[in-house]
Every structure is written in C-alpha cells, then in structure tokens.
Amino acid sequence: ATSSNSVQEEFLKCMSTKISDSSQIIFSQNSSSYSSVLQFSIQNLRWLNSSNADPLVIITPLHESEIQAAVLCSRKYDLQIRVRSGGHDYEGLSYLSKTPFIIIDLINMRSVEVNVKDETAWVQSGATLGEFYYAIAKKSSVLGFPAGICPTLGLGGHVSGGGFGTLVRKYGLAADNILDAYVIDVNGRILDRKAMGEDLFWAIRGGNGASFGIIVSWKVKLVRVPETVTTFTVSRTVEGGVTKVVHRWQNIVSNMDEDLFIRVIMGPGGQNSERKTLRASFNSMFLGKIDKLIPLMNRTFPELGLKAEDCTEMSWIESTLYFPGFSKGSPLEVLLNREQVSRNFFKAKSDFVAQPIPVSGLEGIWDKILEEEIGMLIMEPLGGKMNQISESEVPFPHRKGNLYNIQYLVQWQVAGVKEANRHLNWIRSLYEYMKPFVSKSPRAAYVNYRDIDLGTNKLGKTSYSEAAVWGIKYFKGNFKRLAQVKSKVDPGNFFRNEQSIPPFTS
Ligand code: FDA
C-alpha cells in the first residue's frame, strides 16, 4: 500500500505541474466522492465490488488538455489507463485492471453540436446515445443517427466497437457514419482525421478504440428519417406456432425491405401461468406509415399476421423511447437520464448466423430456455445496407452473407458466486449447443458484446498469435491490419487491457 500511495502522490504532483485547477476533476482514493464517481457508470453489477475496481485516481476531465496531461503522467509512472464513456462494457474493461491504474471517465465531456444544414454533428465521447438523439431531435424532426437501442450507452465505447440499432438495415452501423474524430495518442498529442491518417481513423471506427488512444469526439453524418415511423411488438407463444414464424423470419429477414427492422426476442413467456411457456416477441420499426406497412407485411411476412391495430405511428425520436421500454407519453427528457432504469448482474455472448437454423434446432433452443427461466436470445436482423458495405471498410467485418446476429443474455438480481456460476454455466452450455447452427471458421462474435470467454491477453505480455484466437472472431481478416496499425501508433503497447489489440509480430 505504501508504494501505491507514493505512486499516487507522484502522479498527482505530475498532474499539478500540467493543469492549474484539479480540485473538481481528480478523485483520489481518500476523496469522499471517489466511490460514487467510480460506481455511477458501472452498468454490470457483477463488477461493482470487484477487487480489480480500485483505480489509484479517477479523472473526470472537462477539457482535452487534462486528458493529455493524464496520458503523459500515467506513462511517467507506469500506470495503466482505463477510459470510460458510458460504462456498459460487459466485462467491465473500462474500469477494471489487475495492475495499478487510473480511470479517465469522460462523463463531463458530452457536448453535442448539430449542424442541420450540413446534416452533420460533432459529439463528444462522453455523451450518451440518449443525449445525442435528444439534441438531434431538438434541431430537426427529419434527421436521426443509426446507433444502439439503449439510451445510456456512451458514444466513446459504442462507436469504437461498431454500434447497431433500429436503423442498421437502412444506414449500417454507427461506425459506418463517422466523418472525422479527435483522438489523443500515446504521446499526448491531439489528432484529427488528417493528422492521425487514414489507418488510425480506420482502426478507431469499430476496432476496439481503447487499444489506440482516447477518442475525444466524433464528427458524424446524420441520416434522413421520415416525420412518421411505425412501431409494433407482437408476441407469439410456442402453443401459438411461434417456431414456424421464427423459422420463416430467418429466411426472409436479410432480404426484407430496408425500411423495415424486425428483431426477435426469444425467452420465457408469461410469469403467472401455471405451465411454463415460451415466447418470441417481434419488436419492430418501419420507416413509414401504417398504410404502407400492412400491405408490405401481407406480401412478405403474412405468417406473422400483423394487423393495423398492433401498430403505432410516432416520430423517430419517440421510437428511441419505445424500444428501451419507456411508457407511452414519457417526456423526451428521459433520454437525458444517464442512469439505467434498472441495473442487473449479467453475462452475454454472441454469434452471427449465415444459414437459417432448422426447426429442430429452434426447438432445442426452447428446451434450453426452459432450463434457465431468465435467459433470452435477442436476434438482430442484418442485410440491407449492411450487405453493401465491404468487410474491410471499417474493422467490423460481419457483412454480406450474415442473416442476423444473436445475443445470448442472462440477467439476475442476486449477488454471490454460486448464483453467478449457475447462470454462467447455463449460457456457456447454450453457446455450446448453438455451435452447429452459427458461423464457422471463425465462429464470429460482436466486439461490443464483449466476451472474455473467447480468450484474453496475458498479464504484462500480449502476444499477437495468442490474441488472434479471439481477435479473428471479432474482426476476421481485419485483425491483422488492426495489429499493424497498433504497431505504428503504439508500438510499446501502452494502451492495453485483457482484450486490446496487440502490436503485430510476424
Ligand atoms: P464503456 O465506457 O464501458 O467502454 C467500452 C469500451 O470502450 C472499453 O474498452 C473502454 O475503455 C472503451 N472506451 C470507452 N470510451 C472510449 C474513448 N473515448 N476512447 C477510447 N476507448 C474508449 N450495442 C449495440 O451495438 N447495440 C445496442 O442496442 C446495444 N445495447 C446495449 C444495452 C445495454 C444495457 C448494454 C449494457 C450494452 C449494449 N450494447 C449495445 C453494447 C454496447 O455497444 C457496448 O457495451 C459499448 O462498448 C458501450 O459503450 P460505453 O461507452 O457505454 O462503454
């Protein structure tokens, strides 16, 4: 403890030579706000009291220069940096470390400037999607941004891992719609697109941003949305023939009209029913009105039996409240709340599906869900615009040929190792069961659904060939280029964590 105390003191001294007033932005372990600042953005309760969640110092910068100072002082005293924007990292990599570290928490760096005329915006990494969507809607009713569904996600982590939501089939990923960025590199320099060059600009758009530096802000291309969109959620149970409907959905989902987004959430149904039942919800948005949607559904997906009365017309910004489940009529200001409505303990894993899963395979999934009545699968459609973007355009490679992404998710409320292990065992056995039905060589995964089971860097030593085991799952052929960019911009591997991109070695 003595030596970490003195490192902390030296670090603070170093900071004080570089910035004039640190009282509002630096929290050391004996500061009274340390725990509340640390815990505020921990979204997965599994990591709340982790022994790896004890940074020497937390910095909540108000200005770029404070980040630059923190990079230089951390290097000087060999401290690791964890960067946190919204804190949703599934494995807590934005605030956990086994070696002495500081957290740079971007919670105060969240300005948004929307330029309606150019249809662009500058948004700082610490802004949440909710804050960003709200700011867009204040300026325009026909502009939006294609990114994730949960409004508390931070722009920093979300975009630097890809980012998809209800507009993915029309406009692709958040990372596909980035025009420029400011990054602070390992030498404490602040670089825009021109200064960083196209290699680094490529890498930060989905390639695990934290491996390359600290992204301060993004310039994004806004996209056109109609004044009125239509949403619907219809559920079918096993008794109601859901297996056939899900099977059909798989066959048509990636070729559907790109104005239509239908995701499927499969899980246990009906909490009060005597008999265990299973349910799939078709949770959807159409970029148009009901009178166009119904004939389109009758033509392409009559098996769902969608009726006009199942549907609600609303604005795009209202749809950003609908998907996370805010009740109808909630004020748009709920988007500004950085706290999640409820926090859980959770574990997730992911797959990409290239061939429809046969009916017998789907039936096996139902059996698995019955084993663990709180587990679920979220199946997000791809196709549309995603098919038109090449695998190497940005580091996210899961494009044409993929029908949909599956996220396996289990959430629980009770702390404790035994409880956690039960759920972890279940999700791992479901993942094993799914093997024959999902993408192969590699069995792909989505980096924003971070999964430490896929493999990790060894403490203090990061080998390219070992990292390739998990790296190829997330990035396929782009992994090598990411490692080559890493060699160029951070050859000493200062920015590292359990799943950071290592420098390339042949
Ligand atoms: P966090 O701050 O934890 O950062 C995640 C990673 O990025 C860490 O490694 C961190 O160090 C790094 N990082 C953060 N800011 C950085 C910066 N400025 N510069 C460099 N590195 C930085 N995904 C999706 O595509 N669609 C969705 O709809 C959802 N929905 C969803 C709901 C919920 C409840 C959760 C918990 C997660 C999702 N996700 C998602 C996954 C989400 O996209 C993923 O967790 C993002 O990394 C979250 O970004 P944050 O900034 O919030 O996380």
Side-chain angles (χ1 to χ4, degrees), residues 41 43-44 81-90 92-95 104 106 125-127 129 147-150 152-165 173 208-218 263 340 346 380 407 411 446-450 497:
S41 300
Q43 308 288 353
N44 187 345
I81 293 181
R82 293 291 176 268
V83 191
R84 183 162 73 175
S85 289
H88 290 72
D89 194 289
Y90 286 7
L93 297 194
S94 53
Y95 49 85
I104 297 180
L106 297 171
S125 293
L129 290 184
I149 284 172
C150 168
T152 54
L153 300 180
L155 264 291
H158 183 62
V159 180
S160 68
F164 55 65
L173 307 170
N208 227 343
S211 307
F212 299 96
I214 296 156
I215 298 141
V216 176
S217 55
W218 304 106
R263 66 172 180 166
Q340 277 204 67
F346 68 88
E380 305 266 356
Q407 176 173 202
Q411 307 177 78
Y446 175 34
V447 69
N448 263 346
Y449 298 157
R450 193 186 302 283
N497 61 44

Side-chain angles (χ1 to χ4, degrees), residues 106-122:
L106 297 171
I107 190 162
N108 291 325
M109 296 197 57
R110 55 186 210 235
S111 73
V112 184
E113 281 167 45
V114 176
N115 185 332
V116 173
K117 213 170 119 246
D118 290 358
E119 304 188 0
T120 62
W122 273 103

Side-chain angles (χ1 to χ4, degrees), residues 333-349:
E333 283 67 29
V334 296
L335 292 171
L336 303 178
N337 187 355
R338 293 183 72 101
E339 275 176 281
Q340 277 204 67
V341 179
S342 69
R343 286 197 284 183
N344 297 302
F345 299 80
F346 68 88
K347 169 71 190 169
K349 300 174 82 65

